Amino acid sequence: MSDALPRNPTAGSDFGSIESALVPTHDVLVIGAGLAGQRAALAAAEQGVSVGILSKVHPVRSHSNAAQGGINAALNPGDSWESHAFDTVKGSDYLGDQDAISIMCEEAPEEILHLEHLGVTFHRNEEGKLGTRAFGGASAARTYYVADITGQAIMHVLYEQLMKYSDDVTRYEEWFCTALAMDEQGECCGVVTRNVADGSMQLFTAKAVILACGGNGQAWKPTTNALICTGDGIAMAYRVGAKLMDMEMIQYHPTTLAGKGFLITEGARGEGAHLLNAKGERFMERYAPNKMELASRDVVSRAEQTEIDEGRGFPDGTVALDITVVPKKRIHEALREIVLVGRDFAGVDITKEPIHIKPGNHYTMGGVKTDVDGRTEVPGLYAAGETACVSVHGGNRLGANSLLDTLIFGRRSGVDAAARAKRIEGSRPSGGTLEVEQATIDAISAREKGSGRRVSEIKFDLGTVMDKQVAVFRDEAGIQGALEKVRRLKEEAESAYIDDKGSVFNQDLLGAIELGYMLDNAECTCIAALERKESRGAQYRTDFPERNDEEWLKHIDLQQGDEEPEISYSEVTITQWEPEERKY
Amino acid sequence: MAEYTLKVRRYQPESGQGPFWEEFKVDLDPTLSVLDGILQAKDRDDGSLSVRCSCKAAICGSCGMKINGQSGLGCKTQIGEAQELADKKASVGNGGGTKDNAIVVEPMGNMPVIKDLITDMESTHWEKIRRVTPWLLPYGEAPEREYVVEPESMIDITQSMACIQCGACVSSCLSMEADPDFIGPAALAKAYRFVGDPRDAESKERLHDLAEDPHGIYDCTHCFSCVDACPKGVAPMDQIMRLRRKAGEEGIDDPHNGHNHEIAFTKIIEKKGTLDEALLQQESYAPGIKGKLVPSKGAIEGLGKSLPTVLRAIKTGKARSLSKLIPGVHPKLPGGAQDEVKAIYKHAEEHREEFNIYIHGEDDVEPEPDEPADAALTDEAKAATEEKA
């Protein structure tokens, strides 16, 4: 394998014993190969620089697959990007940065057309033009879609393009990133990785590194997120001093299967499905009389949780989603995946009977703080997609805005990273990074069975406490309890043991490293949630139930400190939409 | 909660040992998946038990495996159902009645095994995907707005876009077992996604390429294994058959004469109601009067090649009656039955529709008896009879 790696002509013996000579290099290196990563890689390659894309799973296994409902853009005649932007600002509970939101919404139509030209099989209206569906929190039907496999359909088309441009973008499929490499000036200049297939450690150098590793949903249990969503990018950036922002903002999706965490697309409600409590009441009438089931996700999730907590839910702690009101033909055409999820995972024929659902962990609104070109506060380090916090989602992300976020800011990161690569000389890691990472791994492998707890047990405890205390409703005592628990688990993780001592596909070892990433993410979320003493978007504090613009219309930034994260604040960018009361 | 035994075919490449079977006891709800069971064993008993997995919701395509010999996704197979199948299989062997048999879990077939349930999909899957030029080759410059296309055309190819590249079809493919160079069900379904895409400018070239490759579309033996294995309803074999039909319509030479055979077969039934076997071979190779007056070189060759089969049929008694030996003697259906057959043809022509999961759903393949289609069919048959009278 290593024969095929591109060599760094500047690599020399001063890299240290292991880091000598065999250092592959790229101008731009993208970590993660979901939508944001693939889009970034393609955009950077278009600028004529050498690009590598590296992912711990095969790119088509990435979690962007799971985005079902669609992608927003104001492309219909009569719609405007300003309307899309306003809906997004309002959806964010005014915590989103309006300059970034404007860029995203203004560039959205062009991006949709670009995807269509590449081959995405978007749904057509009767005239054969792009057709839309309604989605939550939106004042117009502006969601473009491919049945209910939109994320998969787009991601597979981008992967087609990666195959097409294989001369311009080198793919490293199933390579796991353990750390970012820094030079003496404190700039990011590469990554340390483990080749999953054979366990070999490899340093890569690059003039710019783009983190596009998705969110951190696995720190909650249950979650709609895939097993790979362990907050790797957020944790790696944090560990080299990048700032994290809005980490308290964790989205609970209103319609997930109880216990199992499977997602039922918001598209179901977009097509007209109703939410009912155990009494058969369409309870959204009481919470959002205008938008009903299509209010923002935080609003709908809170309504459901209130119904459940006040005893109007079903005995299994759920409410019902009634899709039977949608015409059968339309269900087959537009909600097929949900028919399968109902049949295979809940034993329910959704065309004939309501399905039981509840709010479930779904999306990381916060992440690595970036500007509108994906730049973090660490030179040379970029972030895009769910890993990043630009912030376009603020306190609450609108449905069908996440795919858009990945593509717009993935592309912008790729372009800017390529420009940096053309501008700078390139530097070398300050040395020893690879040895440090190898030593960490050796230490994990050396722990004997019984020296501590199993990694899987700690992960289970983490997910359980986060879902209990840092969920739809929060209060100080609960979050404080969760933070203490997370810190205990962090200590326990130091001695947690693994069974697999091998090199080939040692998933056990990677699981131990991922646990560390998740614990860093969870700690930051607890601290930010504790800090924000108000209710805004996904952060609802029962002890501070009102939004408080005077004190809290600001971002909470976290940076790694000596003992614990250091808290600072940054202003929310407001351009043309002054905060007002949020009603649906 | 119930207890299950998973019997896993394991392979640890660094152990120096060959593959071995290991049983794991797990307890979980019957509606949870076989993958949940494997992960429970991994979490509780042995962290070295290796399986690719991620979404646990049948969308990432990581956990292709064989369960009780059947290729599919671990996350989409409920463990309770897997148990029923395991018991059913065991009872066939010993005359019935046993319970709590082990659920057998193996890595996918037709692929080299790397470790436990992890296989090498590069040479057996991805290389073949890249073989079919898997990207859109559009006409000239892109339009200013979107390409305007028939709405149905997008729904049509969305069925093959639903493929998640899990490899279950490749694992189950019998042709692949016989010919490892076969392009295979997944890659050919991917190819249909472009051939059927009105935005693609090179559909014809693609068809020629796939038809002329000896390991291409005619390598499929129509066994349905991939249709059964596919967890997403892509029905790869159907996509291959559509490629064949399009190739036939394109006039591309089929080495097995399948397209002409299909046309001859349907024409004879339309005319006579049942199959005139004596007519079938010559109509397949030399259709109509023109075909017989000016037979092509291929026709003479093809008919010549089928002579031994005919002789063998006579010798073994399979073809003895006049109607099987002399073309044209074969009788039509009695009474008005032939008219009803014709009405069916007419109806099919007028309602020509490809089966598509995004139109028909999963379970509605059979029209219900009171559906208007049936009534229309009866009316058409009646009209045809009256017309004749």
Side-chain angles (χ1 to χ4, degrees), chain B residues 112-376:
Chain B
V113 177
I114 296 174
K115 180 184 182 185
D116 291 342
L117 300 172
I118 297 174
T119 58
D120 177 10
M121 288 183 68
E122 174 52 29
S123 59
T124 49
H125 178 77
W126 289 110
E127 216 170 80
K128 290 163 193 281
I129 293 284
R130 294 195 293 273
R131 156 73 185 80
V132 303
T133 319
W135 48 81
L136 192 73
L137 296 165
Y139 292 94
E141 286 288 299
E144 205 165 293
R145 291 275 302 199
E146 68 270 39
Y147 289 94
V148 177
V149 295
E150 289 290 318
E152 291 77 20
S153 65
M154 288 294 109
I155 298 177
D156 175 40
I157 53 173
T158 294
Q159 179 160 9
S160 44
M161 279 308 290
C163 170
I164 54 172
Q165 313 293 345
C166 69
C169 59
V170 174
S171 165
S172 73
C173 178
L174 295 177
S175 291
M176 192 82 105
E177 211 174 308
D179 172 18
D181 291 334
F182 178 35
I183 296 175
L188 289 174
K190 182 87 178 169
Y192 181 75
R193 172 250 176 287
F194 299 104
V195 170
D197 193 326
R199 297 170 296 182
D200 196 275
E202 314 247 338
S203 295
K204 283 184 193 173
E205 290 78 0
R206 290 177 189 273
L207 281 172
H208 274 279
D209 172 37
L210 298 170
E212 283 153 18
D213 187 322
H215 312 287
I217 50 179
Y218 299 112
D219 217 1
C220 167
T221 60
H222 225 158
C223 77
F224 283 82
S225 291
C226 61
V227 178
D228 288 343
C230 177
K232 303 305 288 186
V234 173
M237 188 194 79
D238 288 2
Q239 312 306 328
I240 298 173
M241 293 309 134
R242 296 161 93 179
L243 288 170
R244 282 192 190 174
R245 210 168 312 140
K246 279 188 184 275
E249 285 162 11
E250 207 43 59
I252 294 170
D253 226 12
D254 166 2
H256 309 296
N257 203 35
H259 183 67
N260 293 333
H261 189 80
E262 189 180 305
I263 292 173
F265 196 108
T266 46
K267 276 201 170 154
I268 291 170
I269 302 287
E270 184 181 14
K271 223 166 155 186
K272 302 203 167 182
T274 55
L275 187 63
D276 182 347
E277 287 178 80
L279 211 54
L280 181 59
Q281 275 305 76
Q282 47 170 289
E283 283 302 299
S284 301
Y285 283 105
I289 298 172
K290 195 183 162 214
K292 286 166 197 76
L293 286 177
V294 203
S296 67
K297 200 178 150 220
I300 296 167
E301 212 173 278
L303 283 169
K305 270 189 188 166
S306 56
L307 265 180
T309 313
V310 175
L311 290 176
R312 205 160 48 241
I314 296 171
K315 209 170 147 192
T316 55
K318 200 183 169 214
R320 243 183 223 154
S321 62
L322 275 181
S323 70
K324 283 199 172 147
L325 288 172
I326 304 173
V329 173
H330 188 83
K332 278 188 190 181
L333 285 178
Q338 188 56 37
D339 293 320
E340 283 185 35
V341 171
K342 279 189 178 155
I344 292 172
Y345 270 72
K346 194 164 164 245
H347 181 86
E349 273 305 316
E350 284 165 6
H351 300 81
R352 197 164 183 168
E353 212 173 68
E354 292 282 356
F355 175 70
N356 183 298
I357 43 177
Y358 286 97
I359 299 167
H360 302 90
E362 303 294 318
D363 307 314
D364 299 345
V365 187
E366 299 291 329
E368 284 164 31
D370 58 348
E371 276 201 3
D374 272 11

Side-chain angles (χ1 to χ4, degrees), chain A residues 119 124 337 344 454 499, chain B residues 43 47 52 78 147 193 232:
Chain A
R124 306 291 158 143
E337 197 63 34
D344 298 330
R454 294 182 76 85
D499 299 322
Chain B
D43 282 350
R52 281 197 190 98
Q78 289 188 4
Y147 289 94
R193 172 250 176 287
K232 303 305 288 186

Side-chain angles (χ1 to χ4, degrees), chain A residues 261-551:
Chain A
F262 289 118
L263 177 65
I264 310 281
T265 175
E266 184 166 304
R269 282 171 288 138
E271 299 293 342
H274 296 168
L275 287 169
L276 306 172
N277 62 19
K279 294 172 166 176
E281 294 166 338
R282 223 178 136 189
F283 57 84
M284 284 310 296
E285 278 168 2
R286 291 199 296 278
Y287 302 88
N290 297 318
K291 298 295 286 184
M292 297 291 285
E293 282 84 357
L294 288 178
S296 270
R297 287 178 174 176
D298 58 329
V299 174
V300 181
S301 284
R302 269 196 297 280
E304 291 176 2
Q305 197 62 50
T306 304
E307 292 296 304
I308 295 164
D309 292 347
E310 292 180 359
R312 292 186 294 277
F314 293 96
D316 57 347
T318 61
V319 290
L321 177 70
D322 184 6
I323 311 177
T324 63
V325 294
V326 181
K328 205 167 177 181
K329 179 173 178 284
R330 187 64 192 155
I331 293 182
H332 290 317
E333 180 183 312
L335 299 171
R336 179 182 165 250
E337 197 63 34
I338 302 310
V339 175
L340 295 180
V341 166
R343 189 191 71 189
D344 298 330
F345 299 111
V348 171
D349 181 351
I350 60 150
T351 65
K352 297 203 170 94
E353 56 183 319
I355 187 165
H356 286 200
I357 50 88
K358 64 179 281 191
N361 172 284
H362 183 59
Y363 186 84
T364 315
M365 263 87 66
V368 186
K369 183 185 177 79
T370 70
D371 67 8
V372 295
D373 290 311
R375 288 183 284 223
T376 71
E377 305 217 330
V378 173
L381 183 63
Y382 291 73
E386 203 172 340
T387 299
C389 181
V390 187
S391 144
V392 285
H393 308 306
N396 171 68
R397 173 175 71 76
L398 290 192
N401 262 358
S402 67
L403 292 183
L404 185 60
D405 169 20
T406 63
L407 294 163
I408 299 293
F409 295 104
R411 172 171 56 73
R412 294 180 67 96
S413 302
V415 170
D416 200 82
R420 173 185 159 89
K422 286 180 181 171
R423 205 171 54 233
I424 68 159
E425 277 298 311
S427 55
R428 299 168 183 183
S430 50
T433 318
L434 187 57
E435 282 87 347
V436 169
E437 289 305 305
Q438 184 67 59
T440 307
I441 284 172
D442 291 344
I444 294 171
S445 292
R447 290 176 207 149
E448 288 301 320
K449 194 166 184 161
S451 66
R453 302 178 73 194
R454 294 182 76 85
V455 168
S456 56
E457 290 169 6
I458 299 175
K459 186 184 168 193
F460 180 87
D461 284 359
L462 171 66
T464 309
V465 71
M466 292 303 281
D467 191 56
K468 190 161 177 226
Q469 307 293 4
V470 197
V472 177
F473 292 113
R474 308 165 173 183
D475 64 23
E476 179 165 342
I479 305 168
Q480 186 65 46
L483 177 61
E484 283 161 20
K485 176 83 178 176
V486 168
R487 288 190 167 148
R488 271 204 305 283
L489 294 174
K490 263 187 135 168
E491 279 170 31
E492 289 175 0
E494 299 285 318
S495 60
Y497 71 92
I498 57 171
D499 299 322
D500 199 335
K501 310 289 183 191
S503 303
V504 178
F505 274 90
N506 189 337
Q507 301 172 319
D508 217 12
L509 173 72
L510 302 183
I513 300 171
E514 287 173 337
L515 176 66
Y517 290 152
M518 284 186 278
L519 287 164
D520 280 0
N521 276 266
E523 184 183 22
C524 290
T525 294
C526 290
I527 286 170
L530 213 47
E531 179 67 12
R532 183 174 288 282
K533 291 173 183 62
E534 65 153 355
S535 291
R536 182 187 299 272
Q539 157 97 344
Y540 192 94
R541 290 278 300 256
T542 53
D543 43 355
F544 299 97
E546 300 296 323
R547 194 175 89 189
N548 179 353
D549 285 347
E550 237 166 73
E551 285 179 71

